[in-house]
Amino acid sequence: MSNLIDGKTQAARLREEIGRQVSRLRQRDLITPGLAVILVGEDPASQVYVRNKATQAREAGMASFEYRLADSVPQSKLLDLIERLNRDPEVHGILVQLPLPPQIDEARVIQAIHPDKDIDGFHPINVGNIATGGHGMVPCTPLGCLMLLKHRLGELSGKRAVVLGRSNIVGKPMASLLLHEHCTVTVAHSRTQDLAALCREADILVAAVGRPGMVKGDWIKPGAAVIDVGINRIEADGCTRLVGDVDFGSASEVAGAITPVPGGVGPMTIACLLLNTLQATCRQYDIPVPDDLVSRAWDDAAAEPV
Ligand code: NDP
């Protein structure tokens, strides 16, 4: 078995299964899950993310509503729009693409989204639910990482996990999810000392620092599972290339399993956004979502220990 974790293929299969569930919801219950995406400003990377999210939502049979606001939009206008979408029965999930321009208080905006429609899982109520192991919306990127890890490794209990990065959107929720899987988790950040030695202890290493190629092969315990969350744009030979936080060349010689960039965590993040939108819709109508949705999508590839 190759040590490559193919997030692109896994995500495509998950999206297909989500599409089947959406189609059932539309036919049987006459409900079309609706995703509203708000983009403020013209950041080129954010525009690409928003376009991909909206396209993939439509491909899965969902209704997609896009709102593009000027960079200079006052916070009150954005909050008014969110309030309107909170009340809109055709909208089941709301996403505000981050980052936001400086005149807008990100925390205030996140708190304005109704927790039931917070498909990014950033609202404090959803953050609290993850921290306490309750049922809530789980942030898409760490959720996608966890799915890839569970699929590849099977049982995670007892494994030593190191999460590089402590952001609210990746590092901290990732650490909580791994803790709930009974891993022994260390969260590292820019003040952590002797990062390389710490990483070498990890059976599971998740890198989310935003530093191109920072994690080298000799930071990795032989056979470890390495999840590279980083998306860094670098200029090489006159063109822009996407690279992760892990030096893939050296790391893939040592790792037992490793995600590439692109084609690893990124596609899973969008698939999990669709999954969260489906789940948010079902919860709003008290319709159960099949527990085995992910295994239905992936069941012919049985989990194998690294
Ligand atoms: P943030 O900038 O919010 O957080 C980065 C974290 O890395 C911080 O905790 C910071 O420490 C830590 N860090 C930075 N430099 C170092 C260093 N030299 N050594 C150790 N720790 C360091 O980033 P995000 O969490 O939002 O994103 C991380 C990466 O993941 C980015 O490349 C981003 O583009 C990518 N990303 C990818 C997604 C996907 O779908 N694949 C989704 C979201 C993000 P400190 O707290 O001390 O400052």
Side-chain angles (χ1 to χ4, degrees):
M1 179 185 199
S2 150
N3 69 349
L4 193 76
I5 300 178
D6 181 357
K8 194 172 168 190
T9 301
Q10 300 294 91
R13 294 168 67 182
L14 183 54
R15 289 199 310 272
E16 272 174 37
E17 182 58 32
I18 292 167
R20 279 190 281 276
Q21 297 297 329
V22 169
S23 156
R24 190 168 308 164
L25 210 54
R26 290 176 63 162
Q27 284 168 17
R28 191 190 55 196
D29 304 295
L30 305 178
I31 298 166
T32 302
L35 168 64
V37 183
I38 304 173
L39 173 63
V40 182
E42 315 243 313
D43 176 60
S46 293
Q47 286 183 338
V48 173
Y49 294 144
V50 164
R51 198 165 47 238
N52 287 344
K53 288 167 185 173
T55 304
Q56 292 189 22
R58 280 193 295 273
E59 283 172 2
M62 297 180 178
S64 160
F65 309 96
E66 275 175 74
Y67 299 87
R68 290 169 187 265
L69 306 180
D71 200 51
S72 58
V73 71
Q75 176 168 297
S76 57
K77 276 225 159 137
L78 176 57
L79 294 176
D80 287 348
L81 173 59
I82 292 172
E83 196 37 53
R84 188 153 58 80
L85 296 173
N86 280 339
R87 288 194 306 266
D88 188 336
E90 288 186 17
V91 171
H92 306 97
I94 303 170
L95 177 154
V96 179
Q97 184 67 42
L98 303 179
L100 292 167
Q103 79 276 14
I104 294 178
D105 176 355
E106 202 170 283
R108 177 82 186 77
V109 167
I110 288 169
Q111 285 177 34
I113 299 172
H114 192 288
D116 293 348
K117 294 192 177 186
D118 167 41
I119 43 161
D120 259 335
F122 297 161
H123 190 286
I125 287 186
N126 286 319
V127 173
N129 278 328
I130 300 181
T132 55
H135 286 285
M137 218 50 89
V138 178
C140 308
T141 300
L143 179 61
C145 295
L146 185 70
M147 283 178 186
L148 291 175
L149 281 168
K150 285 174 83 167
H151 179 254
R152 189 57 173 243
L153 303 181
E155 183 60 53
L156 304 185
S157 176
K159 294 203 183 292
R160 185 81 171 80
V162 171
V163 178
L164 294 180
R166 56 174 164 179
S167 71
N168 290 336
I169 64 172
V170 189
K172 283 181 198 158
M174 186 75 246
S176 288
L177 294 177
L178 290 168
L179 199 54
H180 289 309
E181 295 296 327
H182 310 293
C183 293
T184 303
V185 185
T186 305
V187 182
H189 47 77
S190 65
R191 313 281 177 96
T192 302
Q193 294 187 2
D194 206 351
L195 216 47
L198 178 68
C199 291
R200 274 192 292 271
E201 293 174 10
D203 305 309
I204 294 170
L205 180 61
V206 180
V209 285
R211 301 273 180 260
M214 188 179 91
V215 177
K216 311 290 181 209
D218 62 1
W219 291 30
I220 293 167
K221 179 175 170 178
V226 178
I227 302 290
D228 189 354
V229 180
I231 299 180
N232 307 289
R233 286 174 171 74
I234 59 163
E235 298 297 325
D237 305 326
C239 50
T240 307
R241 231 166 32 95
L242 283 189
V243 297
D245 291 339
V246 177
D247 176 39
F248 187 83
S250 61
S252 60
E253 287 174 14
V254 187
I258 184 166
T259 56
V261 176
V265 174
M268 281 300 295
T269 295
I270 304 191
C272 287
L273 180 77
L274 303 183
L275 182 62
N276 280 354
T277 306
L278 174 66
Q279 270 171 339
T281 310
C282 290
R283 278 188 199 146
Q284 284 161 44
Y285 293 95
D286 221 4
I287 296 170
V289 181
D291 285 341
D292 61 347
L293 190 145
V294 179
S295 54
R296 275 191 206 190
W298 292 355
D299 62 359
D300 60 305
E304 280 186 43
V306 168

